[in-house]
């Protein structure tokens, strides 16, 4: 099969491309560096010519609801429209566990994105996953007050991005499922502990205070609203194992 990956240069996108190719399929990366702009639609139809399935893992770096909604509505809207015109038979979207319980900030954009997929002319599958192990590294780099690194408190059940990529690649060659069963990591973790453990692994020895970061999205995560339900499919690699393998 010929499978296009929107956002194929990102954290989970790279693993998805690897999994698609490892399974013997042709992977087409949709990104600006490959001549495709999802937000404007430039180069999109040509890139989708002859494609059998599309996996959407594109993302945007923002915590603002309005910006997230604008990006996901435009990017995924253009993607599914071009996919329908090009005769693509299946679109797979990566979403996030719990967004309907915490429809705020960045998650508001993912809620809007799911609605775009559900209204698509192309048969679809939505795969919700919990945060990746790499989330700790991202927050260590970004969560700061001046020069001080902070560790936001939150309950999470992180999963390996590689396992998510493998799951998406498998779904793309299967029949459309609508909402697939959620996937999550093997055990619950405290986000603040993850950030501190990652920092120690990088040789950082400074003080990293654990804080309740304001905002409805983080409040929902502290309350456990981003945790998987009992029917979720659990991954294999723990956060501790991921750290040790780096």
């Amino acid at each position: 099969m010929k499978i296009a990956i929107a956002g194929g240069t990102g954290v989970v996108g790279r693993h998805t491309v690897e999994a698609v190719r490892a399974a013997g399929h042709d992977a087409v990366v949709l990104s600006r560096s490959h001549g495709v702009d999802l937000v404007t639609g430039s180069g999109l139809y040509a890139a989708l010519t002859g494609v059998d399935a599309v996996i959407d893992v594109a993302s945007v770096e923002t915590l603002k609801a309005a910006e997230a909604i604008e990006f996901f509505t435009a990017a995924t809207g253009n993607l599914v429209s071009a996919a329908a015109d090009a005769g693509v038979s299946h679109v797979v979207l990566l979403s996030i566990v719990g967004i309907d319980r915490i429809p705020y900030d960045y998650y508001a954009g993912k809620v809007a994105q799911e609605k775009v997929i559900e209204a698509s002319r192309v048969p679809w599958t939505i795969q919700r996953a919990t945060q990746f192990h790499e989330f700790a590294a991202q927050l260590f780099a970004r969560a700061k007050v001046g020069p001080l690194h902070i560790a936001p408190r939150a309950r999470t059940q992180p999963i390996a991005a590689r396992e998510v990529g493998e799951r998406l690649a498998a779904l793309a060659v299967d029949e459309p499922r609508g909402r697939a069963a959620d996937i999550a990591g093997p055990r619950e973790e405290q986000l603040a502990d993850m950030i501190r453990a990652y920092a120690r692994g990088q040789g950082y020895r400074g003080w990293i205070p654990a804080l309740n970061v304001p905002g409805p999205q983080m409040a929902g995560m502290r309350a456990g609203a981003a945790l998987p339900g009992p029917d979720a499919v659990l991954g294999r690699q723990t956060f501790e194992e991921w750290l040790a393998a780096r």
Side-chain angles (χ1 to χ4, degrees):
M1 291 180 65
K2 190 174 184 180
I3 302 172
I5 300 93
T9 58
V11 172
V12 71
R14 295 192 299 270
H15 292 302
T16 306
V17 170
E18 291 173 1
V20 166
R21 290 174 176 162
H25 305 293
D26 184 12
V28 177
V29 177
L30 306 179
S31 69
R32 288 181 180 176
S33 61
H34 288 76
V36 176
D37 190 321
L38 294 173
V39 174
T40 66
S42 175
L44 190 50
Y45 179 80
L48 292 178
T49 301
V51 165
D52 300 294
V54 171
I55 302 172
D56 187 0
V57 294
S59 188
V60 61
E61 289 188 12
T62 183
L63 296 177
K64 297 180 179 179
E67 291 180 359
I69 291 170
E70 181 180 13
F71 172 81
F72 286 119
T73 300
T76 300
N78 287 334
L79 183 61
V80 296
S81 178
D85 292 342
V88 173
S89 59
H90 188 189
V91 174
V92 179
L93 171 68
L94 175 62
S95 193
I96 304 172
V97 170
I99 58 171
D100 44 354
R101 298 187 291 268
I102 325 173
Y104 310 107
D105 304 334
Y106 178 82
Y107 284 7
K110 297 298 289 185
V111 171
Q113 185 185 34
E114 286 193 359
K115 291 179 180 178
V116 172
I117 289 289
E118 290 167 352
S120 168
R121 290 178 287 151
V122 183
W124 52 272
T125 299
I126 293 175
Q127 176 64 76
R128 289 183 178 180
T130 52
Q131 289 74 26
F132 311 136
H133 295 320
E134 288 83 353
F135 191 43
Q138 293 168 352
L139 286 184
F140 173 69
R142 299 173 190 169
K144 292 183 177 181
V145 177
L148 178 67
H149 292 273
I150 64 171
R153 293 190 181 100
R155 297 175 65 190
T156 183
Q157 194 160 324
I159 186 170
R162 181 178 298 279
E163 293 179 14
V164 175
E166 292 168 352
R167 171 70 168 173
L168 295 172
L171 287 172
V173 301
D174 202 352
E175 294 297 319
R177 300 188 184 189
R179 271 288 304 279
D182 292 348
I183 57 175
R187 69 188 189 198
E188 183 180 339
E189 307 278 357
Q190 171 52 241
L191 180 59
D193 294 339
M194 291 169 58
I195 295 169
R196 287 167 165 168
Y198 172 81
R200 288 194 298 271
Q202 298 300 301
Y204 183 82
R205 295 295 179 262
W207 179 49
I208 306 178
L211 301 175
N212 289 343
V213 174
Q217 180 185 327
M218 291 306 299
M221 291 185 69
R222 286 194 298 275
L227 295 176
D231 297 330
V233 177
L234 301 185
R236 304 175 301 277
Q237 188 184 49
T238 65
F239 178 71
E240 183 180 12
E241 291 167 341
W242 176 81
L243 273 183
R246 285 178 60 82

